[in-house]
Each structure stands twice: as structure tokens, then as C-alpha cells.
Amino acid sequence: MDRAQFADFLRRRREQLTPADIGLPPGVRRRTPGLRRDEVAMLAGMSTDYYTRLEQARGPRPSTTVLAALARALRFSSDERDYLYHLCDHAPPGREFTDKHVGPGLMHLLAKLDDTAAMVVTDLGEELVQNRMHTLLVGDHSELRGWERFHAYRWFADVGTRAIFPEEDWDRLARQHVADLRATAARRAGDADVAEFITKLRSVSMEFNRLWNEHEVAVRLSDTKQFLHPRVGLIDTVCETLLTPNAAQRLLVFLPRPGTDAAEKLELLRVIGTQQLAPADRLD
């Protein structure tokens, strides 16, 4: 591992980012250019001390999980992400269906959607990143690990996670999960990751088995979803899906449904969230 080059690369990229690039307010005048180390650490889901040691060329070689988090936090392009892996003597992940790196364009767009809930998922429904409004709407999923990061797995393995949706919508949403997975499985025929995911779902849910055997197929590009939020009540949304060029990743945007009070409730949720996060959001 080239620790000196790795540390220098992180520092230079951090100094090139501004708070606006990641959706943060500028705060008061900063003593140094770019983001602070604690801000990058927060975005990457690690301690400030650990990130500081990386920039100081100290500590153990970072894992691929840590590198992926750093690449997202610092808005790296795919080429920059691969370079980061090479500096640490790790093989970069592939750029086809298994690539879970969210590019700087999508990350910038998420940050700009300040009043709209949005997230990026893989074509198997693995959550890669949420924006702040999506976290306020459904909760913070950044700590989920393993299969728990996949929408369909949580849906079929733990029915308690369905509580944020009205019960009358459960069957429709379950069928949509399965139909969308059917379409992905056909497009990625023979892919080991898809086969493993389907096998896992079959092992944890009789409901999934029943729906899978019905052989419904549909790619979800637009949908309506109702959320039961504990603070503001029922929120009616329209979920629009934007695909990356190879369809390996999807940007899900949840817009207020016309003719409902969803816009007012989402705005109230945004304000409530601002009040709750105000102390932590202060910038020195």
C-alpha cells in the first residue's frame, strides 16, 4: 500500500469539495478550503479519528468497504474510485452489475433534492445511499448490513418492516417486489449474485415462493406509495425511477401525489427534521 499517495489523494480531494457539493449549508467562514475531516468522516460513516489517521498515512490498510464509503463521501468518479483501490493494493470492483459505487453526478443530484425524498439502489434493491429527506421519511438505513440492505429481503424476511405502509397495500407491493426481481433475473440470466439472492428469499419466505411461482414480470419505473409516518401521518407519494445507462443502479424519487396533502406534510417533515438536527448541523 502506498500510504503517502493515499493520504495525499484523500486530502486533496477533500479540499476540493465545498459544503454545497454535499448539500450542507456553508456556515461561518472556514479557516481552510474544502470540507473538514469530521464532515468527511460523517459522510463515510466512520470516526473522525479513524479518517484523520488515514490522511496522516497511519493505521492499518483500509478494507474495500471503507474505500467504497470514502469514494461515495468524496464524490469520486469511477476512475478515481479505482485509483483509490489500487493505492491500497485492492482490486477495484467491476463496473457492470456488481458495481455499487454511486458516481458524483448522482450524489450531487441527491444533495440538490433538498425538499424531495430520494435514494439510490442497485437493480436488486440494495440501498446504496439516501438523501436527508428520505432518511426523515423512512428512517436512517446507513447502518444496515448484509441482506438487511436489500428492500425485498427486509420485506419478506421481517414483516414488521412493512408497518410504515398501510396494510391494504402490502399484497400489491409484495407482488411488485417479485415481478421486478423476475425482470432483473431474466436480464442477468446466469448471474451468481441474482441466483444467490433468489435462493435466500426462497429460504426465508413462503409468501415469496408463492409469488415467484406465479411468474409475474414487470420493471418498476413509476409507482404510487403511501407512507405511515409517526409524526405527520399518512403521506401519499408518486415514486419515479431513473435508471443509469446499464440499468445497474436506480435513482428513486418520491414526489408528493397531486390532489393530496403530501406536499404540506413533507414540508412539515423537512422543518421538523431541521429543528431536530440543528445542533449537529452547526459548522465552525
Side-chain angles (χ1 to χ4, degrees):
M1 173 180 174
D2 192 333
R3 296 181 184 278
Q5 290 294 319
F6 177 77
D8 187 62
F9 187 50
L10 290 182
R11 178 180 58 79
R12 289 179 182 276
R13 288 299 180 268
R14 173 174 62 81
E15 292 176 351
Q16 290 173 2
L17 284 177
T18 67
D21 292 330
I22 61 172
L24 290 176
V28 296
R29 180 178 299 176
R30 292 168 177 254
R31 294 186 294 271
T32 58
L35 297 179
R36 299 196 311 258
R37 286 172 174 167
D38 63 300
E39 292 168 338
V40 175
M42 177 192 68
L43 291 169
M46 60 185 64
S47 70
T48 302
D49 178 67
Y50 179 73
Y51 178 76
T52 299
R53 284 187 283 125
L54 292 179
E55 274 203 12
Q56 293 175 345
R58 299 186 292 120
R61 181 177 68 152
S63 68
T64 56
T65 300
V66 168
L67 296 179
L70 288 171
R72 284 196 296 269
L74 292 168
R75 305 300 195 261
F76 283 176
S77 67
S78 294
D79 291 335
E80 291 170 330
R81 185 277 313 271
D82 290 355
Y83 177 67
L84 192 72
Y85 275 66
H86 285 307
L87 288 176
C88 293
D89 198 27
H90 284 300
R95 296 197 186 185
E96 295 303 320
F97 297 120
T98 58
D99 191 357
K100 299 177 184 179
H101 174 62
V102 182
L106 279 180
M107 294 297 292
H108 182 71
L109 181 56
L110 280 176
K112 289 297 184 182
L113 293 172
D114 177 68
D115 60 350
T116 304
M119 67 183 308
V120 178
V121 301
T122 68
D123 61 348
L124 289 179
E126 180 181 3
E127 295 187 16
L128 299 179
V129 62
Q130 302 170 275
N131 73 351
R132 178 175 167 277
M133 270 302 296
H134 190 268
T135 299
L136 293 175
L137 180 62
V138 304
D140 185 358
H141 294 168
S142 61
E143 297 300 317
L144 297 178
R145 295 293 181 266
W147 294 115
E148 294 291 334
R149 294 181 59 81
F150 292 75
H151 283 303
Y153 179 82
R154 295 200 306 274
W155 183 271
F156 290 106
D158 181 7
V159 295
T161 61
R162 305 182 185 187
I164 64 171
F165 303 103
E167 189 171 354
E168 59 267 24
D169 291 346
W170 289 2
D171 181 68
R172 176 178 64 85
L173 295 175
R175 289 180 177 277
Q176 289 178 344
H177 277 302
V178 177
D180 188 75
L181 181 56
R182 268 283 184 191
T184 299
R187 184 169 56 87
R188 295 174 57 178
D191 188 289
D193 289 341
V194 178
E196 182 185 13
F197 187 44
I198 294 170
T199 299
K200 185 65 177 179
L201 289 173
R202 281 184 172 275
S203 71
V204 299
S205 173
M206 293 179 62
E207 180 188 15
F208 176 82
N209 271 304
R210 174 176 58 81
L211 294 175
W212 185 257
N213 291 335
E214 292 183 11
H215 221 108
E216 295 182 11
V217 182
V219 178
R220 285 186 294 175
L221 295 179
S222 183
D223 190 14
T224 58
K225 280 192 176 181
Q226 294 181 307
F227 295 90
L228 295 171
H229 194 276
R231 300 293 298 276
V232 300
L234 184 69
I235 303 176
D236 262 301
T237 71
V238 176
C239 177
E240 296 291 343
T241 302
L242 305 177
L243 305 179
T244 55
N246 65 355
Q249 293 180 3
R250 304 173 180 185
L251 172 64
L252 307 183
V253 182
F254 298 87
L255 304 168
R257 190 174 181 180
T260 73
D261 60 357
E264 291 80 4
K265 288 182 175 178
L266 287 170
E267 175 60 19
L268 175 59
L269 187 59
R270 187 177 70 85
V271 172
I272 292 174
T274 300
Q275 293 171 346
Q276 291 174 335
L277 296 173
D281 282 348
R282 284 198 200 102
L283 302 174
D284 333 297

